[in-house]
Amino acid sequence: MARLRTYSLTWAALIILLLPGSLEECGHISVSAPIVHLGDPITASCIIKQNCSHLDLEPQILWRLGAELQPGGRQQRLSDGTQQSTITLPHLNHTRAFLSCCLNWGNSLQILDQVELRAGYPPAVPRNLSCLMNLTTSSLICQWEPGPETHLPTSFTLKSFKSRGNCQTQGDSILDCVPEDGQSHCSIPRRHLLLYQNMGIWVQAENALGTSMSPQLCLEPMDVVKLEPPMLWTTDPSPEEAPPQAGCLQLCWEPWQPALHINQKCELRHKPQSGEASWALVGPLPLEALRYELCGLLPATAYTLQIRCIRWPLPGHWSDWSPSLELRTTERAPTVRLNTWWRQRQLDPRTVQLFWKPVPLEEDSGQIQGYVVSWRPSGQAGAILPLCNTTELSCTFPLPSEAQEVALVAYNSAGTSRPTPVVFSESRGPALTRLHAMARDPHSLWVGWEPPSPWPRGYVIEWGLSPPSTSNSNKTWRMEQNGSATGFLLQENIRPFQLYEITVTPLYQDAMGPSQHVYAYSQEMAPCHAPELHLKHIGKTWAQLEWVPEPPELGKSPLTHYTIFWTNTQNQSFSTILNASSRGFVLHGLEPASLYHIHLMAASQAGATNGTVLTLMTLIPEGSELHILLGLFGLLLLLSCLCGTAWLCCSPSRKNPLWPSVPDPAHSSLGSWVPTIMEELPGPRQGRWLGQTSERSHALTPHPCVQEAFQLPGLGMPPITKLTVLEEDEKKPLPWESHNSSETCGLPTLVQTYVLQGDPRAASAQAQSQSGTSDQVLYGQLLGSPTSPGPGHYLRCDSTQPLLAGLTPSPKSYENLWFQTSPLGTLVTPAPSQEDDCVFGPLLDFPLLQGIRVHGVEGLESF
């Protein structure tokens, strides 16, 4: 089995090796153009020969551009039996790619043929063509800019011809100059040139997509000659020659040897080596001499110099700058004014401390190497005795007893400055007044004064850290030459949060005034701590605080204000601002029995500082005060209740919904009715009765159906109201069973009348006083039969007057449930219950008759 597997793999490898060669001979690709503009379409076709017998009869041809398969191929069989596939690529966006014609062979893609496609742009016109005649190489060198990239192989050719005119007519052609690949310059040898004859020159660019040419350049080779730069150097000083002046340099140069026969001019440039100064141009230099003295430079300064030349007056090009030459200018004597100031030592008055400051008189005042203090004795002519030689700006020396004046000079290698006399005069001038100082910022101090009279010629201002040390090296001073000045801003050697001693001395002609001193801090600090709060008195809603201000400190900014903060237990904060002169404060509006945290903040222009926190609690209210408060609250509540009750009682719209004004029959005149003939009262359950009453006036009116009228004994006025009990007549229909209203007047023969007891006038007067009207309102008729099977009936009278001051005259359906309305609109009463003994049960539901006392009817005991 292993041998068989090895044999199969060997044959498969052999087939793969043999197939490419055999398939490549079967196909051929042809394209419309192998090089096109970038983005243009391109068409290609692939033809498979008929003699490829190992292929299928209808093989499928595939296209691949680079590594990507391209769809859109159109395949067909030609008349000669070959297979052809054509494809059009709409946009060739690759500058270089391979197009392949392939077939699916087995499980792999086999390439039949492939072709390289190129895309790019035609060459642009070359720009900025220029030529220079190099006398060193004796050749004309031309250069140009090729333009943008074409993505295609592009060749450049420098073409030229000779011309006797203005290059309008072309003469003999000159051999083309082809630059090396990637270069944009070319040289025409001297043997092809006529140095003083015009020639036309241009550059031609060419690739597969086109050709372009630059504008033609017409020139004479010697008109574009470029010389080599000369050599620049300096001469050594000789004893016979005078040394150069300060700030000057002696220069020499030698022209380029091949150009000695050419007239030319040169120019020089220089700049200091130190700093970032720009080049300074000097020229043109004189043609006849090859030497030049350059002045106006800074003394004792190193310079870098270069030179270049050009053909002149004929046309030409500037040469390159020569190699740099470095030289140093000579020293010059210091040109300064020395401001001096002196001071005698307290322990040794003959020892003098002399201070000075150089003030340049010119921009270039020369470098100072040291200072010399000398004294010329009066008895020795021409003798100068040095007292001090130093590089510092001060010197201490013993002053000879006979010396009243010394001389101070600055020197260097070139000489000395003009001597500055120092006169040791006495302090006999007037002093200045109102000397003061204040800090402007952390690094400056302003010192001011009032000038004395007469004005001095100047002032000397000294300042240094305080307290002064044994050495005055930390002192800084300056001289103010303006005698009318009233102040000066000190900005030198000032550090923040330091105490400085400032001394100002006026200077007069041959005299000086006494010195005045003032102390000041360069920057004042905020107060170190705020005053401590103390509680002086406290109440239930207030607290009195006091504090002792801190004494003023040197270097601390004066206070501008205080701020008191207090916070309660609910983290509610309050504050108030007080003047710096305040010594106490009273807090008002505090809560009784409450805890408060209080602290004081002291503020100045330099900052603010908080003090310690004071915690206090307000007093608790006493018991008597609590009782007074509770009493006042109770009185207020009682007054509110009384006012509410009076408002409800006096307002009818509020009173009626709470308790309606319903008449009480038990206390009306109907409660005092008695029968007129007690012995003739009918027996029980044998009579029916009818009653009337008036609600508004309590005046009783005879019923329209009753014909009898009687007089009450002992009264001279007719009765107002009566109740009549009628006997039941079984043979006649009941009055409420008839449809004729007139039949109700047929009353039974036996009539029992009830009369009102008491004085009717009193009742009438009482009713009139209550209602104020005499309108009569008839409640209704109550009819009942104790022997009839049905219950009693209620008939409303035909009176149209309102009942109960606007209320409905008859009971509503929910007030007398025994009323029901039939479908025909007539009143129907439900059948009485068998358990009900009283046939007048529905009658008892009438609200106005429940309090009437009726005598003589035993059947109404339940009523």
Side-chain angles (χ1 to χ4, degrees):
M1 184 63 68
R3 292 179 180 178
L4 181 59
R5 186 181 298 110
T6 304
Y7 180 80
S8 300
L9 293 174
T10 304
W11 274 104
L14 182 60
I15 292 174
I16 293 174
L17 293 175
L18 293 177
L19 279 178
S22 59
L23 291 180
E24 287 179 359
E25 298 176 357
C26 294
H28 175 70
I29 295 179
S30 60
V31 295
S32 59
I35 300 176
V36 296
H37 282 77
L38 191 63
D40 286 357
I42 188 172
T43 302
S45 61
C46 180
I47 298 177
I48 300 179
K49 299 178 182 179
Q50 186 180 5
N51 56 1
C52 294
S53 58
H54 53 277
L55 298 177
D56 297 336
L57 295 178
E58 296 291 337
Q60 184 181 4
I61 303 175
L62 302 177
W63 292 93
R64 188 173 70 179
L65 181 63
E68 298 179 0
L69 292 176
Q70 301 294 323
R74 301 180 301 276
Q75 186 171 342
Q76 61 179 351
R77 177 180 291 274
L78 302 180
S79 59
D80 57 355
T82 59
Q83 294 287 337
Q84 182 183 22
S85 177
T86 304
I87 189 173
T88 299
L89 302 178
H91 303 285
L92 184 59
N93 296 324
H94 302 276
T95 59
R96 184 176 184 181
F98 288 91
L99 181 64
S100 304
C101 174
C102 308
L103 285 177
N104 281 324
W105 183 267
N107 295 329
S108 62
L109 192 66
Q110 181 63 42
I111 299 176
L112 298 180
D113 193 9
Q114 68 178 5
V115 64
E116 182 182 8
L117 302 180
R118 300 291 297 268
Y121 301 102
V125 176
R127 299 174 300 174
N128 296 333
L129 175 62
S130 61
C131 298
L132 297 175
M133 183 62 192
N134 192 335
L135 297 181
T136 303
T137 59
S138 297
S139 61
L140 183 65
I141 303 175
C142 297
Q143 59 183 4
W144 60 90
E145 295 180 6
E149 178 64 36
T150 62
H151 304 291
L152 295 175
T154 303
S155 62
F156 294 89
T157 304
L158 181 64
K159 294 181 174 293
S160 59
F161 63 89
K162 300 176 182 178
S163 176
R164 293 187 179 275
N166 196 16
C167 299
Q168 298 297 327
T169 58
Q170 182 175 353
D172 297 337
S173 298
I174 300 176
L175 185 65
D176 294 342
C177 181
V178 179
E180 298 180 1
D181 293 340
Q183 294 183 356
S184 57
H185 60 85
C186 194
S187 299
I188 301 177
R190 171 70 178 82
R191 62 181 178 272
H192 301 298
L193 298 177
L194 293 177
L195 296 181
Y196 297 96
Q197 183 178 355
N198 287 337
M199 58 185 301
I201 304 174
W202 73 95
V203 179
Q204 177 178 305
E206 183 179 3
N207 63 12
L209 297 180
T211 303
S212 63
M213 292 183 296
S214 68
Q216 182 176 299
L217 186 64
C218 185
L219 55 86
E220 184 178 326
M222 285 302 295
D223 290 343
V224 293
V225 65
K226 180 179 180 180
L227 304 177
E228 292 294 328
M231 298 298 296
L232 184 64
W233 72 86
T234 182
T235 59
D236 296 330
S238 61
E240 293 82 8
E241 296 180 358
Q245 298 179 4
C248 294
L249 291 175
Q250 296 288 344
L251 300 177
C252 296
W253 69 90
E254 181 182 357
W256 181 50
Q257 292 295 331
L260 290 177
H261 63 283
I262 300 176
N263 294 331
Q264 52 187 302
K265 67 177 181 180
C266 303
E267 62 182 11
L268 183 71
R269 68 177 184 177
H270 61 86
K271 70 174 182 178
Q273 293 184 3
S274 60
E276 297 180 357
S278 58
W279 290 97
L281 194 64
V282 179
L285 301 179
L287 299 179
E288 295 80 8
L290 300 179
R291 299 173 63 89
Y292 183 73
E293 184 179 14
L294 179 63
C295 294
L297 305 178
L298 298 176
T301 305
Y303 281 88
T304 300
L305 302 98
Q306 291 179 333
I307 191 174
R308 67 177 181 177
C309 298
I310 189 176
R311 183 190 182 204
W312 189 84
L314 298 177
H317 289 277
W318 282 102
S319 66
D320 296 330
W321 288 103
S322 66
S324 298
L325 175 66
E326 296 180 358
L327 296 176
R328 186 179 182 86
T329 56
T330 59
E331 293 282 355
R332 64 179 300 181
T335 55
V336 295
R337 184 185 73 242
L338 298 175
N339 292 331
T340 60
W341 171 245
W342 60 273
R343 184 187 303 113
Q344 291 179 333
R345 283 190 175 182
Q346 297 179 357
L347 298 180
D348 187 5
R350 299 306 301 173
T351 301
V352 176
Q353 288 181 308
L354 182 62
F355 308 92
W356 58 85
K357 280 188 177 182
V359 179
L361 299 178
E362 299 177 4
E363 183 179 358
D364 178 20
S365 60
Q367 185 177 4
I368 299 176
Q369 296 180 355
Y371 301 91
V372 173
V373 179
S374 60
W375 169 59
R376 184 188 299 272
S378 58
Q380 300 177 5
I384 298 177
L385 301 178
L387 299 178
C388 183
N389 188 350
T390 180
T391 58
E392 304 294 333
L393 296 178
S394 63
C395 182
T396 302
F397 55 91
L399 183 64
S401 58
E402 63 275 13
Q404 297 296 325
E405 179 181 341
V406 296
L408 175 66
V409 296
Y411 66 90
N412 59 15
S413 59
T416 62
S417 64
R418 295 182 59 182
T420 300
V422 180
V423 179
F424 301 99
S425 59
E426 297 180 359
S427 301
R428 59 179 182 270
L432 50 83
T433 58
R434 296 188 181 182
L435 181 64
H436 60 278
M438 62 179 298
R440 285 290 181 89
D441 55 61
H443 298 280
S444 65
L445 282 171
W446 169 261
V447 56
W449 59 83
E450 286 188 4
S453 180
W455 283 356
R457 62 177 181 85
Y459 301 92
V460 174
I461 307 169
E462 296 178 276
W463 65 93
L465 294 175
S466 181
S469 60
T470 56
S471 174
N472 290 284
S473 59
N474 60 345
K475 288 284 187 177
T476 305
W477 69 279
R478 68 162 295 135
M479 181 175 291
E480 176 59 44
Q481 300 291 339
N482 185 10
S484 61
T486 59
F488 188 79
L489 183 63
L490 308 179
Q491 294 178 305
E492 185 180 357
N493 297 333
I494 301 295
R495 294 180 296 173
F497 305 111
Q498 299 293 331
L499 179 63
Y500 285 89
E501 179 187 9
I502 305 172
T503 304
V504 180
T505 305
L507 301 178
Y508 300 93
Q509 189 69 30
D510 298 332
M512 65 179 182
S515 301
Q516 301 292 327
H517 306 272
V518 68
Y519 295 88
Y521 272 88
S522 56
Q523 183 178 5
E524 294 179 332
M525 295 182 292
C528 297
H529 50 272
E532 184 178 358
L533 282 175
H534 299 282
L535 179 62
K536 187 175 183 181
H537 299 288
I538 191 169
K540 305 176 189 64
T541 59
W542 59 274
Q544 184 178 2
L545 307 174
E546 64 178 2
W547 60 89
V548 178
E550 297 292 333
E553 300 181 41
L554 194 62
K556 303 295 188 300
S557 178
L559 297 182
T560 57
H561 63 275
Y562 292 106
T563 305
I564 294 182
F565 300 88
W566 65 94
T567 307
N568 56 17
T569 54
Q570 288 79 26
N571 288 330
Q572 295 178 344
S573 298
F574 309 91
S575 64
T576 183
I577 299 176
L578 306 175
N579 294 330
S581 59
S582 301
R583 301 295 182 268
F585 185 71
V586 179
L587 303 179
H588 294 282
L590 305 180
E591 296 292 336
S594 299
L595 191 68
Y596 287 90
H597 301 282
I598 309 170
H599 73 273
L600 181 67
M601 182 180 73
S604 66
Q605 293 182 352
T609 304
N610 290 328
T612 57
V613 178
L614 174 65
T615 303
L616 57 85
M617 176 176 285
T618 54
L619 299 181
I620 303 175
E622 297 179 0
S624 59
E625 296 180 357
L626 184 61
H627 295 162
I628 294 174
L629 292 177
L630 292 178
L632 292 176
F633 178 75
L635 181 59
L636 181 62
L637 182 62
L638 179 60
L639 290 176
S640 300
C641 294
L642 291 178
C643 293
T645 304
W647 177 68
L648 291 176
C649 293
C650 296
S651 178
S653 61
R654 299 292 185 269
K655 180 178 68 175
N656 197 34
L658 296 179
W659 48 82
S661 179
V662 179
D664 189 2
H667 296 83
S668 66
S669 60
L670 293 179
S672 302
W673 290 60
V674 296
T676 56
I677 305 174
M678 300 297 294
E679 65 274 4
E680 296 180 0
L681 288 174
R685 309 174 71 90
Q686 294 184 1
R688 56 187 179 180
W689 56 275
L690 178 146
Q692 313 175 34
T693 183
S694 174
E695 171 62 20
R696 296 186 180 181
S697 63
H698 287 209
L700 302 179
T701 306
H703 195 274
C705 298
V706 179
Q707 304 296 330
E708 179 184 3
F710 58 92
Q711 298 288 335
L712 292 178
L715 298 176
M717 57 184 301
I720 300 173
T721 305
K722 65 179 179 178
L723 291 177
T724 306
V725 179
L726 306 178
E727 281 192 0
E728 181 181 8
D729 191 356
E730 297 179 358
K731 297 180 181 181
K732 294 182 180 181
L734 296 176
W736 54 79
E737 296 176 355
S738 174
H739 296 281
N740 191 357
S741 62
S742 63
E743 296 179 0
T744 60
C745 295
L747 299 176
T749 57
L750 182 59
V751 176
Q752 176 66 51
T753 303
Y754 295 85
V755 297
L756 177 65
Q757 294 180 354
D759 189 358
R761 293 193 224 58
S764 177
Q766 182 183 1
Q768 291 179 4
S769 64
Q770 292 177 0
S771 64
T773 180
S774 62
D775 297 339
Q776 298 179 357
V777 179
L778 186 63
Y779 273 121
Q781 301 175 356
L782 298 173
L783 304 179
S785 175
T787 60
S788 63
H793 291 268
Y794 162 75
L795 292 180
R796 179 177 176 177
C797 185
D798 54 0
S799 175
T800 60
Q801 296 185 3
L803 180 64
L804 297 179
L807 297 177
T808 178
S810 60
K812 295 181 181 180
S813 60
Y814 59 82
E815 295 177 351
N816 293 306
L817 300 179
W818 48 279
F819 283 104
Q820 300 293 334
T821 305
S822 66
L824 299 177
T826 59
L827 295 176
V828 179
T829 59
S833 177
Q834 297 178 0
E835 299 178 358
D836 193 358
D837 298 340
C838 182
V839 298
F840 291 97
L843 180 63
L844 299 178
D845 293 332
F846 192 71
L848 300 179
L849 298 180
Q850 293 181 2
I852 299 177
R853 183 178 61 179
V854 180
H855 300 278
V857 182
E858 291 77 357
L860 299 176
E861 60 271 22
S862 62
F863 179 78

